[in-house]
Amino acid sequence: MMKEHATLVKSLKLPQVVFMGLAWMTPMIYFTVYGVAFEAANGQMAAAYIAAFLAIFFTAYSYSKMVKAYPISGSAYTYTKNSIHPKAGFLVGWALLIDYVFSPIIAILTFGIFMNTEFPAVPIYVWIIIMNFILAVVNILGIKSAARISGISVLFQIGFILLFCVLVAKDILTGGNESSSIFSFASFFSVESSTSAVFSGAAVICFCFLGFDAVTTMADETVDAQKTIPKAIFWIIFIAAALYISISYLTQIAYPNFTFTNPDNAAYSLVHLIGGNLLSSLFIMVLIVATFTQGLSSMTSVSRFLYALGRESILPKKLFTSIHPKYKTPVANIIFVAVISLSAIFINLSTAVLFVSFGALTAFFFVNISVIAHFFIKLKKRSPKETLLFLIFPLIGASFIGWLLTLLDSTTLKFGITWIVIGFVYMFFKTKWSKAMERKITLSTNTQMKLEKHVR
């Protein structure tokens, strides 16, 4: 039985928040996008990852400042609403909703594809249903259970990446590759590369860092969220950058002339080249585990985001703010997400990715603008140092994210704009209905008071 007075419990500490964020981000995503990123960056992966990290750093900085100002669940919606305007906040939350809702769909669908590859006799939809059920159960049992599983998965992923780097380094040192020195600037600067290629690669690679923002949705369940969440954000992006840049650096030195025919399985070809069948099998296994925990973490995030929207009455409050008295989790939200995630049986993976990209970048842009609105304009923090921190930094972040938005294809932008228009219509009718209800309540109250006065 649900009770509305039950609340979320602050139980997460810094390591758990970091692991949840890394699980959402999925360090193994490096290999998933390897082929596409390699082509976009013209092979200059290390330089492209450095450029992407620097770009994401400014947005991560903006998130760290806003979560200190508003240490509650709601992420970009809460920051925009309180810093800019409630209507702007509503539309940002509406855009972010598709990011969070479609994230578990992507993970569940990818898991089904991987498992079907390993076990062709079992249809993809069976794996989708099984994973969806398990994700819902683990999330219902409590966020600490999800954090524990996410931590184990992240350690597996980091372990594989470190093993991969060791094998490549060994290959370099023993001369079993195309290079003989482990120290080289060629991975970062090359006369054959161009700045445009590096930034084109960075535009693709930025999506490998998506997920650091998801931990802001867990503020209501994090101990000392004002300090813990900002630290977690920077730990997440620094760990990810260190892993991504290390792999890129070593592989470029070891195999400067590495080529492939199909970008989709380029990473598998690279792994097989380095470690043969054994490392390739381990690679697939770790990818499956990583995809599972990405789904787990993303379902946790979206259920908490729905809780925040329910608390603000953007979504039906009675349904989306109910907390289970025993498990202290938003069970109704989790079940709601699980039902929607069954659409992974029918939806196309690329379509889901398009929705996530639009929602995430829109939220990133407005979080940067929120820093300017809150600190520089409202609080008038305008000393030379504060101007740098609260105007220049977020402007750099907003400019780069805005540029990335323009790089999205026309289909993505049409989907995104259509979704925003639906949000406008929903907000318009919801506002009219709320005002009508307020007038009805006021009229009823006045009538009651007149009757009581007449009786007296």
Side-chain angles (χ1 to χ4, degrees):
M1 181 178 176
M2 302 290 181
K3 295 182 180 180
E4 287 192 65
H5 66 263
T7 58
L8 298 173
V9 176
K10 290 186 176 291
S11 59
L12 297 178
K13 296 182 179 179
L14 180 61
Q16 295 166 316
V17 177
V18 171
F19 280 130
M20 289 288 283
L22 286 172
W24 202 105
M25 179 182 288
T26 314
M28 289 292 286
I29 198 174
Y30 174 91
F31 296 101
T32 305
V33 303
Y34 179 82
V36 176
F38 187 96
E39 289 185 337
N42 195 26
Q44 298 299 300
M45 296 280 281
Y49 268 105
I50 290 175
F53 167 73
L54 292 175
I56 288 296
F57 173 83
F58 291 103
T59 297
Y61 170 82
S62 292
Y63 267 95
S64 72
K65 290 303 177 184
M66 293 311 298
V67 78
K68 285 183 179 180
Y70 303 103
I72 56 175
S73 299
S75 191
Y77 157 72
T78 298
Y79 311 149
T80 307
K81 173 200 165 189
N82 290 291
S83 300
I84 301 175
H85 193 276
K87 290 184 179 179
F90 173 88
L91 293 174
V92 170
W94 190 257
L96 192 58
L97 187 60
I98 58 173
D99 172 14
Y100 285 147
V101 167
F102 278 85
S103 291
I105 292 174
I106 291 172
I108 291 168
L109 180 54
T110 306
F111 179 85
I113 293 171
F114 282 149
M115 293 302 290
N116 179 252
T117 301
E118 289 294 296
F119 307 97
V122 182
I124 292 178
Y125 72 85
V126 173
W127 294 115
I128 288 174
I129 293 171
I130 291 173
M131 184 185 182
N132 209 11
F133 176 77
I134 295 173
L135 292 182
V137 169
V138 174
N139 267 287
I140 287 171
L141 291 178
I143 196 168
K144 293 190 76 172
S145 299
R148 195 175 299 114
I149 294 173
S150 296
I152 295 171
S153 167
V154 169
L155 290 175
F156 268 117
Q157 294 179 63
I158 292 176
F160 177 84
I161 291 172
L162 292 177
L163 173 62
F164 180 87
C165 289
V166 167
L167 292 175
V168 175
K170 180 183 176 182
D171 219 11
I172 295 172
L173 295 172
T174 56
N177 56 82
E178 303 169 32
S179 179
S180 59
S181 175
I182 201 168
F183 301 105
S184 172
F185 284 105
S187 292
F188 302 107
F189 306 102
S190 173
V191 293
E192 292 87 12
S193 67
S194 66
T195 303
S196 60
V198 169
F199 280 102
S200 293
V204 175
I205 285 167
C206 272
F207 297 109
C208 293
F209 289 92
L210 298 185
F212 72 87
D213 59 306
V215 298
T216 60
T217 64
M218 304 172 197
D220 283 332
E221 295 164 281
T222 300
V223 177
D224 197 3
Q226 287 178 298
K227 292 182 178 179
T228 303
I229 298 292
K231 287 180 181 178
I233 287 172
F234 285 113
W235 270 107
I236 290 165
I237 64 167
F238 276 110
I239 290 172
L243 293 173
Y244 299 155
I245 294 170
S246 295
I247 308 171
S248 301
Y249 174 81
L250 291 171
T251 52
Q252 280 181 235
I253 293 175
Y255 305 101
N257 298 316
F258 174 70
T259 59
F260 49 84
T261 55
N262 183 2
D264 292 340
N265 61 15
Y268 184 85
S269 300
L270 181 64
V271 170
H272 191 272
L273 175 66
I274 294 168
N277 292 331
L278 181 60
L279 190 65
S280 298
S281 298
L282 181 61
F283 171 68
I284 294 297
M285 184 185 75
V286 175
L287 263 182
I288 290 173
V289 173
T291 305
F292 174 82
T293 48
Q294 181 192 8
L296 185 65
S297 181
S298 56
M299 186 174 283
T300 300
S301 297
V302 69
S303 63
R304 273 57 180 182
F305 185 63
L306 292 172
Y307 174 84
L309 295 183
R311 185 171 54 193
E312 297 288 332
S313 296
I314 288 180
L315 296 175
K317 189 170 186 177
K318 187 173 183 180
L319 174 64
F320 289 99
T321 60
S322 61
I323 302 297
H324 196 284
K326 178 180 178 181
Y327 302 118
K328 307 299 181 184
T329 53
V331 176
N333 297 5
I334 294 168
I335 294 173
F336 177 77
V337 175
V339 171
I340 291 179
S341 295
L342 287 175
S343 64
I345 297 173
F346 314 103
I347 201 166
N348 182 279
L349 184 60
S350 60
T351 300
V353 171
L354 293 179
F355 274 117
V356 169
S357 301
F358 180 85
L361 290 176
T362 300
F364 286 3
F365 179 83
F366 277 96
V367 169
N368 282 299
I369 299 302
S370 294
V371 172
I372 299 172
H374 179 75
F375 292 100
F376 190 76
I377 297 176
K378 286 187 177 181
L379 299 185
K380 301 185 185 301
K381 292 184 177 293
R382 299 173 183 175
S383 69
K385 180 181 177 181
E386 290 170 339
T387 298
L388 176 67
L389 297 178
F390 302 129
L391 179 63
I392 305 301
F393 276 16
L395 274 179
I396 294 173
S399 299
F400 192 85
I401 297 302
W403 174 61
L404 289 182
L405 271 169
T406 65
L407 295 179
L408 295 175
D409 60 57
S410 59
T411 303
T412 306
L413 294 175
K414 287 177 183 177
F415 274 130
I417 292 171
T418 301
W419 179 252
I420 295 297
V421 170
I422 293 172
F424 264 116
V425 174
Y426 174 76
M427 180 173 62
F428 174 77
F429 283 105
K430 183 180 181 301
T431 302
K432 288 193 68 174
W433 181 83
S434 298
K435 288 181 178 179
M437 289 300 295
E438 287 176 6
R439 285 195 298 268
K440 185 177 180 181
I441 292 171
T442 302
L443 182 62
S444 177
T445 303
N446 291 339
T447 302
Q448 183 66 30
M449 290 174 65
K450 288 179 181 179
L451 286 173
E452 290 178 357
K453 185 178 180 180
H454 178 72
V455 170
R456 288 197 298 268

